[in-house]
Amino acid sequence: DGGITQSPKYLFRKEGQNVTLSCEQNLNHDAMYWYRQDPGQGLRLIYYSQIVNDFQKGDIAEGYSVSREKKESFPLTVTSAQKNPTAFYLCASSPTSGFNEQFFGPGTRLTVL
Amino acid sequence: QKEVEQNSGPLSVPEGAIASLNCTYSDRGSQSFFWYRQYSGKSPELIMSIYSNGDKEDGRFTAQLNKASQYVSLLIRDSQPSDSATYLCAVNPSDGLSTNAGKSTFGDGTTLTVKP
């Protein structure tokens, strides 16, 4: 059963803490993406990776970090430098050949207490 | 000007009517176009892809692409209350850079409400 999983579904963070959001896919996709979505807003790209051990900043990378050590995994760390991290975080993956449709995981809702 | 623009809505149609959602894009060389449906509190779900000028039909959904006018639309026939959601238009760039393969630009979405 192929797909994208994200964990946890809900995450609460105290101010000043770093937290890491998990994203795993078994679709054999080369590319993976992290987006942030605020209430009533569209998707904003944080980071993306087209290949293992390589990634690029998106439009709002400040305060976030990623790693891509395995093709299947693309974890996102929300650091204490991110001043307003409360949001819905979405991970997606796509092939890098063909039509490149993105498929999304179920999301992680992060709340800063 | 945003790269991908959608009417923010909300768009309200009665049950059984045709809902028409529109999207314009600025990159004339774009080749791949997608429609996603996002229910409140959930993640986006791909519902249509279109790559050639003209219409593409899938059940009650029809995607229309006009590259000359740089717009893509989604028609939902016989709208149902279960179609009530936000619809996101996404466009893939045409710059040919390998680092951008699959990297879509999303519109902000149009919220559709289908009233029983």
Side-chain angles (χ1 to χ4, degrees):
Chain A
D1 190 20
I4 304 174
T5 57
Q6 290 186 244
S7 61
K9 185 174 181 180
Y10 298 97
L11 184 60
F12 298 90
R13 188 194 95 171
K14 293 182 180 179
E15 287 192 17
Q17 283 183 335
N18 293 354
V19 292
T20 297
L21 282 58
S22 170
C23 178
E24 304 276 336
Q25 54 98 1
N26 62 4
L27 299 169
N28 199 34
H29 286 166
D30 289 310
M32 296 186 74
Y33 312 82
W34 274 106
Y35 294 92
R36 168 180 172 143
Q37 188 175 39
D38 294 287
Q41 305 296 312
L43 306 179
R44 292 190 288 170
L45 183 64
I46 305 172
Y47 269 98
Y48 65 105
S49 168
Q50 305 287 339
I51 195 170
V52 173
N53 293 322
D54 189 35
F55 46 83
Q56 287 78 40
K57 293 182 179 180
D59 301 318
I60 57 163
E62 185 176 352
Y64 300 97
S65 66
V66 293
S67 62
R68 186 87 186 275
E69 297 178 359
K70 299 187 301 182
K71 185 176 182 177
E72 301 79 17
S73 179
F74 191 40
L76 173 75
T77 297
V78 184
T79 75
S80 57
Q82 172 49 239
K83 296 306 178 187
N84 186 20
T86 295
F88 189 38
Y89 290 87
L90 291 158
C91 178
S93 70
S94 77
T96 51
S97 59
F99 299 124
N100 310 134
E101 301 100 328
Q102 290 190 20
F103 297 89
F104 286 83
T108 292
R109 197 166 297 278
L110 173 64
T111 302
V112 174
L113 301 174
Chain B
Q1 181 189 8
K2 290 184 178 179
E3 295 179 52
V4 178
E5 294 205 48
Q6 298 181 247
N7 293 334
S8 60
L11 174 66
S12 181
V13 300
E15 184 175 356
I18 296 175
S20 178
L21 305 163
N22 299 314
C23 172
T24 59
Y25 59 93
S26 59
D27 182 354
R28 180 170 290 278
S30 298
Q31 299 295 319
S32 305
F33 308 86
F34 310 98
W35 284 100
Y36 293 82
R37 177 177 62 201
Q38 186 176 24
Y39 291 116
S40 180
K42 303 295 186 182
S43 62
E45 172 193 11
L46 180 68
I47 55 172
M48 290 290 283
S49 306
I50 188 166
Y51 317 104
S52 303
N53 278 328
D55 295 358
K56 179 181 178 183
E57 188 174 317
D58 183 1
R60 296 185 296 109
F61 297 97
T62 299
Q64 299 176 317
L65 175 60
N66 184 323
K67 289 185 178 180
S69 300
Q70 294 174 243
Y71 83 77
V72 56
S73 63
L74 180 70
L75 301 178
I76 306 174
R77 293 183 301 281
D78 188 24
S79 295
Q80 301 297 310
S82 59
D83 295 325
S84 298
T86 296
Y87 290 81
L88 303 171
C89 172
V91 177
N92 279 13
S94 62
D95 57 19
L97 295 175
S98 60
T99 52
N100 282 337
K103 180 180 168 224
S104 297
T105 299
F106 286 82
D108 288 340
T110 298
T111 299
L112 170 67
T113 300
V114 180
K115 295 186 175 180

